[in-house]
Each structure stands twice: as C-alpha cells, then as structure tokens.
C-alpha cells in the first residue's frame, strides 16, 4: 500500500508534476482520470508519482499502491490485490471478504483456460464501493511486470473512469516486451489518458539536486563527476550518497568540491546501488539478500522462515535497512525502496547460489505451511526438479495452484514430471493435464493425457484424466475425438460410478453438438442421470463429490443435456421441467455456480419460447441474485438478459447489456469475460440489430463488421448467429440491396442436424423480403419452415404466432395476421406486435380497407417510436404510402417523434432511476444488486447519463437529480 511522503530533495520536472497534480485537482471535483508515466529504470517515475501524491492531505481519501515485479507476473490479480489492500484478516470487512472470494475461488465443471472473471469482478466491485465512500487513487508501479488479470482489471476500471472519483496511475518502462502491456497502453491513450514521459534531468536541474542534497552548489570537479549519472536521478543520488559516505565532499565558500585524490567510486548504477549496501552492517546485508529472493515486497513472516530466525531476531537489521533508505513499510509488509536496489542485491549472488537458496526457501516455506503460491514462486525460481519433498507437496497443492495460478502450476508440474528419474508418477502427470487444461494449453494437455492413461492405475485419477482429455479435445475443436475418448473410458470396468455419470453427461452434450445425434445424446444423458441419482458410496467416491442423495453436479449436468435435446425438438414443456429439476438439484451450493448459471440461462430461453415473458423476467432476477450470492458473474445470463430485453422492446437496457465497449480495438481486454465465441456473436448481433432498427447506422456497421469477422465453427456458434444475420439483412435492406438481404436470411433456413436455432423468429421477415423481390418459392419455403416449427411445439406459442404471420404475408390474407396480432397483444413479445400490425395494415390497404389500415399503421408507428425503432417507422410509412395512406393526426395521438438526444428529458426510465440512486450515494455495485442488473450494465447506463446530461462526474449527476426533484 501507499508510503506517504515525497522525495527529501526535489527539483525540476515541473511539466510532468503538473500533469499529475492536475489529475489530483480533477479528483477533488469528483472527476476520474488515468495517467501513464513512462521512463527508463531509475529515471524517477516512482518518485514523481510520490511527490505529486504527497500533497494529498484529505484524510478520507484512499491511496492504493501496488508494485509489480518479475516474481508476481504469473500470479493472477496479485498486484491489483496489493493496490486495493485485499488480504485475509483485513480490518475492513469488504477487503477481507474479497480476499476470501479470491482464495476460495475454484474451477467450475466447465472452466478451462479463462480469465479469473469472478476475482476481477470482486475487485472491481470493491473499487466501486470504496469510490462511493471517498475518492480513491490506485497506482501500479512497474506495470511492465503486472499479471494479465491485473491488466484486464486496470483496463476495465479505466473504461468507466468518468463515473467514479477514481485516479488510476501506472508507471512503466518504455517499449515493454509484453504485447498485452503495449496493447493496454494504446487502449488507455485512445481513451484520453494523460501520457507522461520522464526523461533525464537537464544539467541545471542535476546541479540543483546536488545542491539540495549537500547544502551548497557543486564545484566544477564535482559537476564533472556527477555528469556520469547521465541525468538519472537515482544514479545521481546514490553517487552523491557514496561520496558523502566516503567523506569525500569538501565545503568551500558557497560551493562544495571533491579532493583531487578521490576514493575509488563505482562506475555503473548497479555498482552504485551495491555500494549503497555498505550503509548497513554485514548481518543486515545478508538478510537483505535473503529478502531479495522473495521479490520487491515481502512479509516478515516469510523472511523469518527463509532466514531461519525469529521475527524478533530480525528486528534490528530490518530497522537499520529502513533507516538507511533501503527498505520501506508497505502496509503489513516491507518493500525495497526501489526495484533496482532489490535487483542489485539479487544479481550480486551467483546464479547457482540463487537457485540453491530458492530451493531451500521453498522447502522451508512448505514445511512451515506458507501460502502455496509463495512456495510455488520459490520452487519455480529454483529451476530444480526431483527434490525429495517436492513430489508429495505438489501432489497435495496441485489442485489449489491450478485454480489460483494455472500457468505456474503447469510449469512446476511439467518440470517435476519431465525431470524425475523414475516414471511412476501418474498422479503428478494427471495433475499436469488438469493444470494445462485450466491454462488453456489444449494441445499439450492432449499429448500429456495420452501418456498418463498408459501409466496411471488409480481409478479416480484415471477417470479425471479421461475427462480432462475429452474436454481438451472438445475445447480444441475435436468434438468427435472427444466422443471416442469418452466411449473408450466408459468401457473400463474400474470406472467410479460418479465419474462415469459425469462422463456420460458430457458425452450427451458432445453427441448433440459434434454429431447432431439426438437419440445418442438422450441415451447418454438418461444413463448419466440414473447413475448420478444413486446414493454415494465412499468406496466409489473417495473424493467426496457425492452424498447419500447422489451427485448433484452429475444429475444437473445430465438434466441439462436432456434440456438441450428437448429444446432442439421444440418440446419446450419438457425442456422447462428439465431446467427446473436441475435448479432444484443444485440448490444454493456455491461449488455449482457454473452449472446453476447455465440452468438459469436455459430456463429463461425456454420460458420465452413458451411466451411466458413475465416468468422469464422473474428468472432473470433470480439469476442475478444467485450471481451475487455465488460471488461471480454468470457466464451466459447477461446474454440471455440482452435477448430478453430486446424482445420486450426495452432496447436501452438490451444495449447496455451487450455494449462490449470495444473502441479500444483490444479484444482480449474488452472481451475478457467471454470464455467462448458464441456470446460475442450474439452480443454483436443484438447490438447491431437494435442500432440498425434505430437508424444508428455507424454503430450498426461497427458491430456488424466485428461480428461478421468472428469464426462460426460449431453448433453453438451457428445457434447464436441469427441476430447477426438479421442485423446484416436490415443493413442491406436499408441500402436497397434487398436480394442480398434475402440471401443472408436464407442461410437460417438450413439447420444442421441437432441445431437448435429458432428459425421462426426471422421467417416473417424473410417471407416479406422474398415476396418483395418476387421469389415466391423461397417465400413459401420460409413459411413452411415456420409452420414446421409451430407443429413441433409441445403447446402453441411463439412459433405458432410467427407461422400465422408468415402465412398471412405470403397469401395476403388478413385472417391469420389478425390472429397473430391478437396473440402478440395477449402474450407478447412486445417487439413482434408492431411488426404484425404493420403487415396487417399493408394487406388491408392492398384490399382497399384504408381506414383500418391507417389506424393500424398509426398504432404500429407509435409502438415503434416507443422502442426508438425509427428505421421501422420510415419503412412502415413507405410500405403504406403507395396506397395513399399517411398517418396524419388520426388515432389516439399524433406522432411522438424521437426522444431528445440531450438533457434530462433524454434519459430513459431506467436511467432516471439509476440517476436517482447515484444521487442517493449508492455505488455501481449496490445499484446493480438492487436492480438485478450486472455491474457492467449499470456502468453503461451511468455512461449514457453522463453523456446525455453533458457532465463529467457523478457529483454533477447528483446536482441535476436534485434540481429535477428526483430521489431514490
């Protein structure tokens, strides 16, 4: 955390300092900002930031300071945790809770190769709450070493920097070697971050610094000597400090000098820093070398273990190091005053000695029960394998390491497996396969698993490895191979029952997605369900994953497999029963968060197909509550929410859900929460369709370009591209390319075996366009496809209404169109009603029934305007104009026109409510919790409010809400 106080002597850097001080002033006004400070090692980046923040005197402000280093680069969220003071046992219950979430996070049944999304969300929510209480400053020092997850978290905080009293500061070396750090820098600069480049001190400022340090200006000889520092303040300070320690500085009238016979002084910065250590006794120097093995920041407890001395025995040496300016307090830990001090100490040891000390330290830490990540870091840096203690320790710690730092776990396990003399190490090899799967290294996981299956004898580990191999194959796009792997595993007589059930459940999903064989999928799922429902047996379940009532995860997995096949067959009543049974089986156990999220997503989908829209909305609320209870975002429910709000006509809410905020052009940072490709296809599709129908063509085009560039590989991708296809057709129709629009929509007619795509949603549109270009054969095919879906429905619902509408358009028959209008009036969805009214008006106008047609057109347009669907308004007017029908002022009221683009009147009802909650002082996370929205969705709404009101901070939203008399 933050160390108060700037440099004892400070000169120059006026423009650079002013940039940071300006950001602090803006924070006092409630405005957030981002500052990126860049420069060579030792050039004064850290000192510059500290000097600027030394002027912060507000007692309620929080300053979080985290320093990254090479040791923490593979520890997800480590530096961001340091910034926010997240640690077990914190006096702040919010921070202690976040630490518990990050420590207890576990890999779900479907988790592999993903960003630790739950941990990122927890830290972002904590930042929200801290900012709601008082302004917050977050500094990441040496960003070039920050772990990937912390980079993502920093970026996502920067995305909404205008919404919180938050100042983000990063220091970084120029031209960082890692592409993701370079991408972050580019993304922040595009967003308007202040870029501060720190170069060498000019000669005049260097002379002033020496004067400040010595109390008098330097003479010519001293100036010549200090010029070797090349304007590097750290080098300059240490060089002058070395002269002072050698008592080589002489005082003259108003100047200081040096004798002609100088003591031998170090010529390089590294040597100067090493010389700095002479300021403390040898015992303290040796202790500092041990501390350097632990990284830039370390706990006294870990140092005590590695030094084999009690904390009280270390006290004197540590106090001397702090007094000498080598160490500094950093919250509950200590840190090196400058990374280069630690680097000089570390590199002063021969590599062989460092390796031995890391290995010894790892063993000592392990024996004292230290955090497995601390042990793993030391073990990794030792570069050694085959130590007698490492194998049993790794076997015990592999699961936790795989969850918390999968790449580090994979490296350690790989080294141990490859370096051991004996080959009887099936347990470690199985753990390595799991770690590779978690890290997303699918090819290597497949290669390693093949060898493990030959050597391993333990039936549970064997089953886990078969499952891991199948998951790696499926994730790597080899679904049919995964099916063969599971069939091979299921032939084994020693397969534990619980594992057998889970394999069968996975097989059911793969049979459907890879082969489209619904019968085979059903058979596997039903067999899995029977096995999973059997009471547990400790002899078959040594891992304790089942109980007397059976295996909840296996049951739910099998039930959701049956949900899929029922949905493909359009037996939505059966599908709903399977989803409900899965939710009952899972209960509230946080271990099943991923399955529960999937079950909620499935239930919402099915309720929509049954036209039970209010229940679907209620389920969204339940999913949001479960999401917060499980301490992590539901992977798919936010997509379901966007689709739901689209069909309900609440397009502002839908847009907030799917706005991927990808103007940065950095997909890895912007889409970190997308673990698969299909959510991005759906998100771009919904966003493009809404923007197109609202006549926001630039936005629609951006989403179309990005969505259409995504690969469509398996069934999940095909099933989630339909919104994108429809949006593409709308754009083509707007440009007058109706035949090409027809070709795009025609793709949806051709479903692959086992594909779930809801064709009926888009067929009335295709029928209309095909008829417009005279392709009546295609129009009839589209109507028949819609009719087939309606006949497959277990009870008449959405497909039946769409079939009536398609038939009415095809035959210019008002009777089925009237039925579809009646259906949409009574049951929904809201978006389909004005489209059916428009179609009916067009048919009636063609038959000469102009008065009713005009009334229907007016109602359709009024509804379209409520959604902001101004393209639909223009199209509807154009369709009826050839019949001499214009809306005029007939009907219940005249045209409403677009909502204002700016000012309070431009706010949607949801935005007004959120503005009121902002006025009440609620954080983004609190608002999300109360409104059953995602934190990201609320952020988008707040961003819209700021833009529409033309203000820069929440403080100004509060003022405007009070002015309008709006309160929560």
């Amino acid at each position: 955390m933050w160390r108060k106080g700037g440099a004892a002597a400070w000169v120059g850097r006026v423009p650079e300092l002013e940039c940071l001080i300006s950001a602090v002033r803006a924070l006092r006004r409630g405005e957030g900002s981002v500052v990126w400070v860049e420069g060579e090692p030792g050039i004064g980046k850290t000192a510059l930031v500290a000097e600027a923040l030394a002027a912060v005197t507000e007692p309620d402000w929080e300053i979080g300071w985290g320093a990254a280093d090479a040791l923490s680069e593979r520890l997800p969220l480590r530096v961001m945790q340091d910034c926010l003071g997240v640690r077990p046992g914190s006096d702040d219950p919010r921070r202690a809770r976040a630490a518990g979430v990050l420590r207890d996070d576990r890999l779900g049944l479907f988790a592999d190769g993903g960003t630790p999304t739950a941990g990122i969300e927890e830290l972002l929510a904590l930042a929200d709450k801290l900012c709601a209480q008082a302004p917050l400053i977050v500094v990441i020092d040496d960003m070039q070493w920050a772990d990937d997850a912390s980079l993502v978290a920093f970026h996502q905080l920067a995305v909404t920097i205008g919404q919180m009293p938050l100042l983000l500061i990063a220091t970084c070396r120029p031209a960082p070697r890692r592409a993701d750090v370079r991408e972050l820098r580019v993304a922040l600069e595009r967003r308007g971050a202040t870029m501060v480049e720190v170069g060498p001190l000019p000669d005049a400022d260097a002379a002033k610094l020496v004067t400040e340090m010595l109390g008098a200006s330097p003479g010519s000889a001293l100036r010549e000597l200090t010029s070797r520092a090349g304007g590097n303040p750290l080098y300059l300070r240490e060089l002058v400090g070395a002269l002072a320690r050698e008592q080589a500085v002489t005082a003259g009238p108003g100047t200081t000098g040096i004798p002609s016979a100088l003591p031998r002084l170090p010529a390089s910065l590294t040597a100067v820093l090493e010389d700095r250590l002479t300021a403390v006794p040898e015992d303290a120097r040796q202790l500092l070398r041990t501390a350097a093995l632990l990284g830039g920041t370390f706990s006294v407890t870990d140092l005590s273990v590695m030094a084999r001395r009690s904390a009280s025995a270390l006290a004197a040496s540590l106090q001397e190091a702090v007094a000498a300016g080598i160490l500094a307090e950093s919250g509950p830990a200590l840190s090196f005053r400058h990374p280069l001090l630690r680097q000089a100490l570390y590199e002063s040891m021969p590599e062989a000695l460092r390796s031995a000390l890391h290995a010894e330290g790892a063993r000592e830490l392990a024996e004292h029960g230290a955090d497995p990540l601390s042990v793993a870091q030391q073990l990794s840096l030792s570069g050694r394998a085959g130590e007698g203690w490492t194998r049993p320790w790794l076997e015990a710690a592999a699961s936790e390491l795989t969850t918390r730092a999968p790449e580090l776990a994979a490296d350690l396990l790989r080294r141990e497996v490859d370096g051991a003399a004996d080959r009887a190490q099936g347990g470690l090899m199985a753990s390595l396969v799991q770690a590779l799967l978690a890290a997303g290294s699918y090819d290597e996981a497949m290669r390693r698993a093949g060898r493990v299956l030959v050597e391993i004898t333990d039936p549970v580990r064997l089953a886990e490895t078969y499952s891991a191999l199948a998951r790696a194959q499926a994730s790597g796009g080899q679904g049919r191979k995964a099916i063969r792997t599971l069939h091979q595993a299921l032939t084994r007589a020693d397969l534990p029952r619980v594992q057998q059930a889970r394999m069968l459940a996975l097989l059911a999903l793969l049979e459907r997605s890879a082969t489209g064989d619904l019968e085979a999928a059903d058979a596997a799922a039903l067999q899995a369900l029977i096995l999973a429902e059997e009471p547990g047996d400790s002899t078959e379940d040594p891992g304790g994953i089942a109980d007397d009532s059976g295996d909840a995860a296996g049951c739910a997995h099998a039930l959701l497999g049956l949900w899929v096949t029922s949905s493909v067959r359009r037996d939505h009543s059966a599908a709903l029963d399977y989803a409900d049974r899965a939710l009952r089986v899972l209960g509230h156990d946080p271990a099943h968060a991923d399955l529960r999220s999937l079950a909620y997503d499935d239930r919402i989908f099915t309720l929509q197909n049954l036209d039970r829209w209010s229940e679907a909305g209620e389920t969204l609320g339940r999913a949001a509550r479960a999401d917060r209870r499980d301490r992590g975002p539901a992977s798919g429910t936010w997509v379901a929410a966007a689709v739901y709000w689209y069909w309900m006509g609440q397009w502002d809410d839908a847009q907030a859900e799917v706005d991927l905020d990808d103007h940065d052009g950095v997909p890895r940072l912007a889409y970190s929460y997308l673990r698969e490709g299909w959510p991005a296809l759906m998100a771009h599709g919904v966003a493009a369709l809404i923007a197109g129908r609202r006549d926001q063509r630039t936005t629609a085009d951006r989403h179309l370009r990005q969505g259409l560039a995504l690969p469509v590989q398996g069934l999940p991708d095909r099933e989630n591209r339909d919104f994108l296809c429809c949006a593409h057709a709308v754009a083509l129709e707007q440009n007058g390319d109706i035949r090409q629009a027809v070709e795009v929509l025609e793709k949806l007619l051709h479903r692959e075996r086992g594909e779930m795509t809801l064709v009926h949603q888009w067929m009335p549109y295709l029928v209309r366009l095909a008829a417009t270009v005279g392709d009546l054969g295609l129009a009839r095919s589209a109507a028949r496809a819609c009719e087939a879906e309606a006949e497959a429905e277990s009870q008449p619902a959405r497909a039946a209404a769409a079939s009536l509408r398609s038939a009415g358009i095809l035959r210019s028959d008002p009777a089925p169109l009237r039925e579809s209008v009646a259906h949409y009036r009574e049951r929904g969805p809201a978006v389909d009603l004005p489209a059916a009214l428009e179609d009916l008006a067009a048919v009636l106008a063609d038959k000469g029934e102009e008065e009713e047609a005009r009334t229907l057109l007016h109602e359709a347009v009024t509804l379209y305007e409520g959604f902001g669907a101004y393209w639909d308004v223009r199209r509807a007017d154009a369709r009826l104009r050839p019949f001499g029908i214009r809306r005029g002022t007939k009907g219940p009221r005249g045209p409403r026109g677009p909502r204002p683009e700016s000012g309070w009147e431009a706010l949607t009802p949801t935005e007004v409510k959120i503005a009121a909650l902002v006025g009440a002082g609620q954080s983004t996370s609190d608002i999300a919790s109360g409104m059953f929205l995602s934190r990201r969705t609320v952020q988008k709404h707040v961003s819209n409010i700021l833009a529409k009101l033309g203000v820069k901070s929440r403080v100004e939203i509060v003022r405007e809400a009070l002015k309008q008399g709006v309160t929560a």
Side-chain angles (χ1 to χ4, degrees):
M1 292 292 285
W2 165 238
R3 301 187 298 273
K4 290 188 177 180
W10 182 264
V11 299
R13 308 289 196 207
V14 174
E16 298 92 336
L17 193 59
E18 179 57 29
C19 288
L20 285 157
I21 291 175
S22 294
V24 173
R25 292 194 198 104
L27 193 61
R28 290 193 175 102
R29 299 192 298 270
E31 300 172 15
S33 56
V34 182
V35 182
W36 183 278
V37 182
E38 195 166 87
E40 297 292 341
I43 207 67
K45 304 184 297 294
T46 304
L48 176 70
V49 175
E51 183 70 16
L53 299 187
V56 175
T57 57
E58 289 83 351
D60 58 337
W61 284 28
E62 291 209 40
I63 301 177
W65 191 299
D69 58 41
L71 273 72
S72 63
E73 188 176 353
R74 292 188 298 174
L75 302 184
L77 294 175
R78 172 53 61 86
V79 70
M80 190 56 72
Q81 290 181 69
D82 291 343
C83 284
L84 296 176
V86 172
R87 60 181 181 275
S90 171
D91 293 337
D92 183 347
R94 298 167 301 183
R95 290 180 164 96
R97 176 188 182 278
V101 170
L102 292 165
R103 183 63 185 261
D104 297 340
D105 194 18
R106 65 188 76 191
L107 292 175
L109 189 59
F110 306 119
D112 48 12
T115 303
T117 312
I120 290 174
E121 287 290 319
E122 188 68 26
L123 294 182
L124 297 182
L126 174 61
D128 282 340
K129 291 173 181 174
L130 293 174
C131 286
Q133 184 175 328
L136 172 66
I137 300 174
V138 170
V139 182
I140 293 187
D141 208 0
D142 278 326
M143 182 67 90
Q144 72 275 358
W145 296 118
D147 60 274
D148 288 350
S150 289
L151 293 178
V152 172
F154 193 89
H155 175 267
Q156 293 190 4
L157 282 174
V159 164
T160 54
I161 197 68
Q163 300 183 20
M164 297 185 288
L166 171 65
L167 171 56
L168 295 175
I169 301 174
T171 74
C172 188
R173 296 178 185 178
R177 59 185 175 83
R178 290 166 56 201
D180 44 7
V181 179
R182 292 197 300 271
E183 289 174 352
L184 175 62
R185 184 192 187 282
V186 169
L188 296 177
E189 188 170 16
R190 285 179 182 169
R191 288 191 166 277
T194 300
M195 312 305 290
V196 178
E197 294 186 12
V198 183
L201 281 175
D203 290 343
D205 285 339
K208 288 180 183 177
L209 179 58
V210 175
T211 301
E212 289 286 336
M213 294 177 68
L214 299 178
S217 60
S220 58
L222 183 55
R223 282 174 182 261
E224 182 179 352
L225 179 64
T226 54
S227 67
R228 74 173 64 173
N232 185 302
L234 178 65
Y235 194 175
L236 186 60
R237 289 178 187 279
E238 296 304 328
L239 191 59
V240 172
L243 287 169
R245 286 194 299 274
E246 293 289 338
Q247 298 182 339
V249 180
T250 59
T255 64
T256 54
I258 52 175
S260 55
L262 272 175
R264 182 176 177 274
L265 289 175
S268 69
L269 176 57
T270 300
V272 166
L273 294 173
E274 290 175 358
D275 182 72
R276 171 68 174 270
L277 297 173
T278 60
V280 295
E282 176 57 34
D283 183 62
R285 290 200 293 274
Q286 186 56 50
L287 184 63
L288 288 169
R289 291 188 182 93
T290 302
L293 297 169
L294 290 166
T297 301
F298 56 90
S299 74
V300 176
T301 301
D302 284 353
L303 179 60
S304 172
V305 170
M306 289 189 65
R308 299 183 184 178
R309 295 164 61 187
S310 67
S312 58
L314 304 180
S317 294
L318 291 176
Q319 287 171 353
E320 288 172 339
V322 170
I326 299 171
L327 296 180
E329 292 184 39
S330 181
L334 292 173
S335 64
F336 285 91
R337 176 70 70 175
H338 197 284
L340 293 179
L341 281 168
R342 183 248 164 198
Q343 182 180 339
L345 277 163
Y346 189 75
E347 293 178 353
S348 68
M349 294 178 276
E351 186 174 350
L353 175 59
R354 290 202 305 263
S355 175
L357 290 174
H358 279 305
E360 188 176 281
R363 186 180 67 250
E364 292 290 333
L365 289 169
E367 289 177 354
H368 284 78
D371 185 339
L373 286 184
S374 297
V375 180
Q377 280 184 297
Q378 295 300 311
L379 196 55
S380 175
L381 291 167
S382 74
R384 297 185 178 187
E387 299 283 345
W389 67 274
T390 55
R391 181 180 297 184
W393 182 84
L394 272 173
E395 287 177 343
S399 179
E400 181 176 351
L401 288 176
T402 294
T403 299
R404 297 174 64 190
E407 290 184 2
L408 179 59
D411 283 352
L412 290 175
L413 290 162
R414 184 188 294 113
R415 179 194 301 169
E416 190 67 26
V417 166
D418 293 345
D422 68 284
R423 310 307 299 172
Q425 47 185 328
L428 281 181
M429 292 173 71
S431 294
L432 173 57
V433 172
Q434 297 285 348
L436 291 168
L437 178 65
S441 301
Y442 303 130
D443 289 341
E444 187 180 356
M446 287 184 255
R447 290 197 306 272
R448 297 276 184 175
R451 284 183 237 134
V452 175
L453 294 173
V454 174
E455 297 189 19
I456 200 165
T457 57
D458 179 78
V460 173
R461 299 309 299 271
L462 184 69
E464 291 173 346
T465 305
Y466 267 118
S467 293
L469 173 57
R471 286 169 59 194
Q473 289 168 330
S475 297
Q478 301 179 29
R480 291 181 181 271
K481 274 192 177 181
I483 289 172
R484 290 197 293 272
T485 295
L486 292 172
H487 278 299
Q488 179 184 351
L490 290 165
T491 61
R492 297 186 63 99
D494 58 348
L495 193 68
R497 177 190 57 79
V498 171
Q499 297 290 348
Q500 185 180 0
R502 293 190 177 188
M503 282 187 189
L504 284 163
L506 177 58
L507 177 61
L509 294 178
L510 290 174
E511 287 283 12
R512 199 283 303 193
S513 63
T515 71
D517 190 338
L518 300 186
E519 288 70 27
D522 278 344
L526 288 169
Q527 190 178 355
L529 188 59
I530 291 170
L531 289 171
E533 287 179 335
E534 292 180 12
D537 183 337
S538 60
T539 61
E540 291 185 333
D541 181 31
I545 59 178
D547 58 26
D548 291 342
S549 60
D551 173 29
C555 286
H557 198 179
L559 288 164
L560 295 180
L562 292 168
W563 174 90
V564 171
T565 55
S566 297
S567 297
V568 172
R569 294 188 179 101
R570 304 306 191 245
D571 187 353
H572 300 306
S573 297
L576 181 61
D577 180 61
Y578 288 131
D580 285 344
R581 286 173 62 187
L583 287 168
R584 286 196 298 272
V585 165
L586 293 170
H588 300 305
D589 189 342
H592 305 317
D594 55 348
L595 270 173
R596 185 163 38 253
S597 170
L598 183 60
Y600 275 124
D601 191 34
D602 292 347
R603 188 174 200 270
I604 293 164
F605 177 87
T606 299
L607 287 168
Q608 291 177 153
N609 287 324
L610 291 168
D611 272 330
R612 291 160 62 173
W613 295 94
S614 61
E615 289 181 67
E618 186 274 335
T619 302
L620 271 177
R622 287 172 55 194
R625 290 190 291 273
D627 184 15
R628 277 177 282 280
R629 184 185 63 240
D630 296 337
R631 301 174 175 180
S635 60
T637 306
W638 66 274
V639 180
V643 172
Y644 173 79
W645 294 126
Y646 172 82
W647 292 115
M648 295 300 289
Q650 295 181 228
W651 288 358
D652 294 298
D653 293 330
Q655 281 184 314
E657 288 283 358
V658 296
D659 192 321
L660 301 180
D661 204 5
D662 50 6
H663 300 283
D664 296 334
V666 188
R668 193 193 64 80
L669 295 171
Y671 304 159
S672 63
Y673 50 88
L674 305 182
R675 297 197 321 200
E676 302 174 75
W678 68 261
L681 283 166
M682 180 63 79
H684 281 302
V686 173
L689 184 54
I690 292 174
R693 294 185 66 178
R694 284 185 157 176
D695 231 0
Q696 300 166 343
R697 300 199 187 184
T698 301
T699 301
D701 180 65
R702 174 168 59 86
H703 281 290
L704 275 175
R705 281 187 288 103
Q706 294 175 346
L708 294 173
L710 296 170
V712 177
Q713 296 172 320
L715 278 188
D717 292 340
R718 286 182 58 85
E719 291 165 346
N720 287 276
R721 64 172 182 158
D722 54 339
F723 274 84
L724 198 62
C725 286
C726 188
H728 192 192
V730 168
L732 292 168
E733 183 185 9
Q734 288 171 333
N735 293 330
D737 299 328
I738 298 180
R739 286 193 177 275
Q740 196 173 346
V742 167
E743 292 174 8
V744 168
L745 285 175
E746 188 181 3
K747 296 177 184 177
L748 297 177
L749 275 176
H750 309 296
R751 286 168 52 195
E752 289 188 355
R753 187 185 183 200
E755 185 177 340
M756 193 191 296
T757 303
L758 299 176
V759 171
H760 70 264
Q761 296 179 142
W762 318 110
M763 289 305 97
Y765 185 23
L766 178 54
V767 171
R768 176 174 67 80
L769 290 185
T772 300
V773 298
D775 192 345
L776 295 181
L778 179 57
R780 284 191 287 269
S781 295
R784 283 197 298 269
C786 203
E787 184 180 8
E789 280 207 7
E791 291 173 350
E793 283 185 326
S794 52
Q795 53 183 278
R798 290 187 70 196
S803 181
L804 287 167
R805 185 175 155 212
S806 296
I809 298 169
L810 180 65
R811 302 197 301 264
S812 294
D813 183 352
L817 283 169
R818 290 187 191 280
E819 287 188 62
S820 69
V821 166
H823 177 99
Y824 296 134
R825 285 194 195 282
E826 180 184 356
R827 302 177 63 181
V831 161
D832 282 342
L833 176 56
L837 288 166
E838 176 191 337
D839 292 331
L840 177 56
V843 169
L844 291 173
D846 187 45
K847 295 183 179 300
E849 300 181 33
E850 296 178 5
E851 191 62 29
E852 185 180 1
R854 182 177 291 106
T855 300
L856 292 171
L857 172 63
H858 192 95
E859 182 182 358
V861 166
T862 300
L863 292 170
Y864 281 142
E865 288 175 341
F867 309 149
Y870 302 113
W871 156 251
D872 295 77
V873 171
R874 293 198 296 111
R875 184 200 60 238
D877 280 338
R879 285 180 73 185
L880 275 294
R881 194 173 298 122
F883 302 102
I885 296 176
R886 289 173 172 78
R887 286 174 285 140
T889 58
K890 292 187 179 289
R893 61 173 183 165
R896 177 173 59 182
R899 180 188 289 120
E901 294 184 359
S902 62
W904 189 264
E905 294 301 319
L907 302 187
T908 67
T910 300
E911 289 165 357
V912 169
K913 184 174 182 180
I914 288 175
L917 293 171
V918 169
Q922 290 196 21
S923 70
T924 299
S925 299
D926 290 336
I927 295 171
S929 178
M931 294 184 67
F932 305 126
L933 298 172
S934 69
R935 182 188 54 79
R936 184 168 40 80
T937 298
V938 174
Q939 285 179 334
K940 178 58 182 174
H941 280 304
V942 174
S943 178
N944 290 340
I945 295 168
L946 291 168
K948 291 176 181 179
L949 297 182
V951 299
K952 295 182 178 180
S953 70
R954 287 188 173 216
V955 173
E956 293 174 278
I957 294 177
V958 173
R959 292 186 189 131
E960 188 62 26
L962 291 173
K963 180 180 175 182
Q964 298 293 330
V966 174
T967 57

